[in-house]
Amino acid sequence: MPEIIRLQGNPRMSGAVVHGGVVHLSGQVAIDHRSSPVSDQVREILERIDALLAEAGTDRSRLLTANLYLADIAYLADVNAAWDRWIVPGCAPTRTTIQTVLANPAYALEIAVSAALPV
């Protein structure tokens, strides 16, 4: 049976779980830039995703899925601008984007992704 590896966890959740050749990241939020403009929040979140993917042994060129949760759909243009600069050309994952109430009103968005590990 393949091993399950949990990264950056606490009693409630793991920051990432690696299993079966795939790394699944929990939703990432802007801890340092909460309550900052959405452009600062999305930049921090994408940096957090890069770091977790690297810790798991992969990178954004191997993304499979992305789920974006926006506190206000009006943020979508700013989020898309940062996302489009960040995504590796030709490596766009499947993506779902929804407006929802987030756990803390200081957060403009939360992003969760999964990525394949290199073989």
Side-chain angles (χ1 to χ4, degrees), residues 72-109:
D72 188 332
I73 202 70
Y75 300 148
L76 187 57
D78 288 332
V79 171
N80 280 340
W83 181 265
D84 292 346
R85 286 189 303 274
W86 182 74
I87 272 304
V88 175
C91 298
T94 63
R95 185 176 124 168
T96 301
T97 304
I98 63 170
Q99 177 177 313
T100 190
V101 176
L102 298 174
N104 183 322
Y107 300 142
L109 73 153

Side-chain angles (χ1 to χ4, degrees), residues 1-5 18-21:
M1 188 171 277
E3 182 179 5
I4 298 172
I5 300 168
V18 180
H19 178 68

Side-chain angles (χ1 to χ4, degrees), residues 6-10 13-16 28 48 51-52 55:
R6 301 175 197 285
L7 305 172
Q8 296 189 17
N10 63 42
M13 60 177 271
S14 296
Q28 300 299 302
R48 288 179 175 282
L52 271 169
E55 185 175 345

Side-chain angles (χ1 to χ4, degrees), residues 60-83:
R60 68 179 105 141
S61 72
R62 301 186 58 80
L63 288 175
L64 300 171
T65 62
N67 295 305
L68 286 71
Y69 306 97
L70 307 180
D72 188 332
I73 202 70
Y75 300 148
L76 187 57
D78 288 332
V79 171
N80 280 340
W83 181 265

Side-chain angles (χ1 to χ4, degrees), residues 11 15 25 29 31 34-36 46-48 52 58-59 67 69 76 79 81 87 89 92 98 100 108 111 113 115:
L25 273 60
V29 294
I31 303 299
R34 72 181 125 221
S35 297
S36 295
L46 296 177
E47 289 170 0
R48 288 179 175 282
L52 271 169
T58 191
D59 62 55
N67 295 305
Y69 306 97
L76 187 57
V79 171
I87 272 304
I98 63 170
T100 190
I111 302 175
V113 302

